[in-house]
């Protein structure tokens, strides 16, 4: 594949994510409110947030290995986005929170199928010295779609549309997001991979980082808890409008800083960027545990967006740095699978702590796990020196 084709691949995959995230982020800020309307409490939010984000990550392990063994990436990426669209289009017809649980799991399973081979495509379409830039550009376009989607969710709610109508529009947009794949070219032309990758085959440095990433995932529970925490400080119509606007702020900060953070990680090293991101999340979670003002919520949602800008793309780029090219999809799949299991545990624990001892306990737990992950990155940096 020529250099212009590689650059175009990254742009097209970013555009697909832009359109898909408009669709997804129309749903995200109203989903916990929709669950509450259907009778679901904090345990339901924890179950839906944990399983819908965590269980599909196991599919990322399978799809990453499968793309290496098949010697092709694109078919799995397209299939994943199509499966997500199918889950979204039926979400508006939910009449109980259990329906949301099932359809959200289907929708996120699509992400499980597509993410590892898609990230491998991005890595293979970027120069060796500019992987952080490539992942940062993709994350920036992805989160720009999140900003647009969050804004649309707010405008539609203010326009008097029901939850079901808003969700239906999101489903239609997810189908439109499939169109750019017509021009996306296959990035992997290697022969079928016959190697069966397992944890024992990974380098010691990669295994150490996977452990640290799982520690962070154990504290990085579902975003829905942050929205519910914000909602508790408002009443009337502002109980819906304010959390949506705060979520919009989170996505705006994430979109603006994702690419600069990726470029910065190319220059100063992934470990330093990840250490900062994990540490900042611990401080942000402590802030959410003690927040009592609107201005405090504004600052904390902005910091939450900065955390994702620092961590999300850098973790994936670092995994790509630490594995051989022919096993990149498999290594990313293992990363997603392990982090996904940790995410299930994280959100279920957060929901249980919230029910038993209140919101403060959930966020203090998240801060403790993130602090341990930051300590792990510090150890890795010292070993490097």
């Amino acid at each position: 594949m020529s250099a212009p084709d590689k650059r175009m691949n990254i742009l097209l995959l970013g555009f697909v994510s832009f359109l898909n995230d408009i669709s997804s982020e129309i749903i995200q800020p109203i989903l916990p409110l929709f669950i509450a309307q259907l009778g679901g409490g904090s345990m339901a939010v924890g179950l839906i947030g944990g399983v819908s984000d965590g269980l599909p990550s196991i599919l990322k392990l399978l799809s990453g290995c499968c793309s290496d063994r098949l010697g092709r990436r694109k078919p799995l990426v397209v299939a994943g986005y199509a499966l997500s669209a199918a889950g979204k289009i039926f979400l508006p017809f939910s009449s109980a929170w259990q329906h949301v649980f099932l359809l959200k799991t289907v929708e996120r399973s699509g992400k499980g199928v597509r993410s590892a081979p898609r990230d491998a495509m991005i890595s293979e379409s970027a120069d060796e010295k500019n992987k952080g830039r490539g992942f940062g550009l993709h994350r920036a376009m992805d989160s720009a779609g999140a900003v647009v989607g969050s804004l649309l969710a707010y405008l539609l709610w203010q326009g008097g549309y029901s939850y079901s109508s808003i969700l239906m529009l999101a489903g239609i947009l997810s189908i439109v997001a499939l169109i750019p794949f017509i021009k996306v070219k296959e990035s992997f032309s290697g022969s079928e991979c016959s190697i069966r990758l397992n944890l024992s085959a990974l380098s010691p440095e990669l295994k150490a980082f996977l452990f640290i990433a799982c520690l962070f995932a154990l504290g990085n529970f579902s975003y829905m808890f942050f929205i519910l925490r914000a909602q508790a400080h408002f009443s009337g119509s502002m109980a819906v409008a304010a959390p949506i606007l705060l979520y919009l702020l989170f996505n705006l900060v994430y979109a603006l800083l994702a690419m600069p953070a990726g470029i910065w990680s190319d220059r100063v090293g992934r470990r330093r960027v990840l250490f900062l991101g994990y540490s900042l999340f611990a401080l942000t979670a402590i802030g959410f545990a003690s927040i009592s003002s609107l201005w405090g919520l504004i600052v904390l949602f902005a910091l939450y967006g900065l955390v994702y800008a620092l961590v999300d793309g850098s973790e994936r780029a670092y995994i790509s740095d630490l594995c051989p090219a022919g096993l990149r999809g498999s290594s990313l799949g293992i990363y997603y699978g392990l982090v996904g299991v940790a995410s299930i545990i994280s959100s279920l624990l957060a929901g249980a702590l919230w029910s038993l001892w209140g919101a403060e306990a959930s966020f203090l737990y998240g801060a403790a796990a993130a602090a341990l992950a930051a300590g792990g990155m510090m150890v890795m940096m010292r070993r490097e020196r």
Side-chain angles (χ1 to χ4, degrees):
M1 187 166 55
S2 66
D5 286 339
K6 289 182 176 181
R7 289 192 293 269
M8 183 58 66
N9 254 16
I10 295 176
L11 287 173
L12 287 171
L13 288 169
F15 190 53
V16 169
S17 288
F18 172 75
L19 293 175
N20 187 71
D21 246 52
I22 292 177
S23 166
S24 295
E25 299 301 326
I26 288 175
I27 296 172
Q28 299 291 71
I30 67 170
L31 187 63
L33 312 178
F34 185 48
I35 294 168
Q37 185 186 72
L38 295 176
S42 61
M43 284 301 297
V45 169
L47 180 64
I48 293 170
V51 176
S52 67
D53 285 341
L55 184 60
S57 293
I58 297 172
L59 292 175
K60 297 176 185 179
L61 168 60
L62 299 176
S63 66
C65 293
C66 186
S67 72
D68 285 338
R69 293 179 65 82
L70 291 175
R72 300 183 67 191
R73 314 285 195 205
K74 183 178 174 180
L76 288 170
V77 180
V78 176
Y81 278 104
L83 184 59
S84 289
K88 289 175 184 174
I89 205 71
F90 289 106
L91 194 58
F93 303 104
S94 300
S95 58
W97 70 261
Q98 290 88 348
H99 300 159
V100 177
F101 168 70
L102 176 62
L103 291 169
K104 188 63 178 171
T105 301
V106 170
E107 187 264 324
R108 300 304 280 180
S109 293
K111 184 173 183 178
V113 171
R114 71 180 183 253
S115 291
R118 182 203 61 203
D119 288 350
M121 288 186 76
I122 293 170
S123 180
E124 290 154 0
S125 299
D127 297 332
E128 285 298 318
K129 294 182 179 180
N130 292 303
K131 287 181 185 176
R133 180 189 295 267
F135 278 101
L137 174 61
H138 179 265
R139 299 316 301 161
M141 294 183 73
D142 183 270
S143 43
V147 171
V148 175
S150 302
L151 181 59
L152 278 175
Y154 174 74
L155 293 175
L156 290 168
W157 172 258
Q158 288 293 91
Y161 288 87
S162 66
Y163 288 139
S164 296
S165 299
I166 297 172
L167 294 173
M168 179 57 71
L169 175 61
I172 294 170
L173 284 173
S174 68
I175 296 173
V176 175
L178 297 172
I179 296 174
F181 276 113
I182 296 172
K183 295 292 184 179
V184 173
K185 294 188 177 180
E186 180 63 66
S187 66
F188 189 48
S189 58
S191 58
E192 294 183 9
C193 174
S194 60
I195 300 175
R196 294 183 178 179
L197 184 65
N198 52 52
L199 288 175
S200 64
L202 303 179
S203 69
E205 188 176 15
L206 180 51
K207 284 189 281 190
F209 177 64
L210 286 172
F211 176 74
I212 293 169
C214 287
L215 272 180
F216 178 67
L218 282 171
N220 186 22
F221 42 74
S222 173
Y223 77 96
M224 291 192 282
F225 289 102
F226 293 83
I227 289 182
L228 289 178
R229 180 63 167 158
Q231 187 186 33
H233 291 82
F234 300 95
S235 59
S237 61
M238 287 300 292
V240 176
I244 293 176
L245 288 174
L246 288 167
Y247 187 71
L248 170 61
L249 173 64
F250 156 76
N251 279 316
L252 180 61
V253 173
Y254 183 12
L256 291 174
L257 298 181
M259 188 169 179
I263 295 172
W264 190 42
S265 77
D266 286 331
R267 293 177 179 175
V268 305
R270 319 282 185 218
R271 296 181 186 88
R272 292 176 176 83
V273 174
L274 288 169
F275 169 74
L276 177 60
Y278 295 160
S279 301
L280 190 58
F281 181 83
L283 295 175
T284 302
I286 291 172
F288 270 100
S290 57
I291 189 62
S292 60
S293 69
L294 172 60
W295 283 108
L297 283 170
I298 291 172
V299 171
L300 288 173
F301 269 90
L303 289 174
Y304 190 34
L306 175 57
V307 167
Y308 266 75
L310 292 169
V311 170
D312 205 17
S314 296
E315 283 192 338
R316 303 176 197 191
Y318 193 36
I319 293 291
S320 297
D321 292 341
L322 297 176
C323 63
L327 296 174
R328 192 166 285 136
S330 300
S331 298
L332 284 163
I334 288 176
Y335 157 74
Y336 282 127
L338 293 174
V339 168
V341 172
S343 297
I344 295 175
I345 297 170
S346 173
S347 289
L348 290 175
L349 275 175
L353 290 170
W354 190 304
S355 296
L356 293 171
W357 295 296
E360 294 82 2
S362 298
F363 287 102
L364 290 175
Y365 154 71
L372 288 173
M377 287 308 303
M378 183 180 292
V379 171
M380 287 192 73
M381 288 189 291
R382 287 179 177 175
R383 286 180 177 175
E384 179 188 20
R385 295 193 191 102

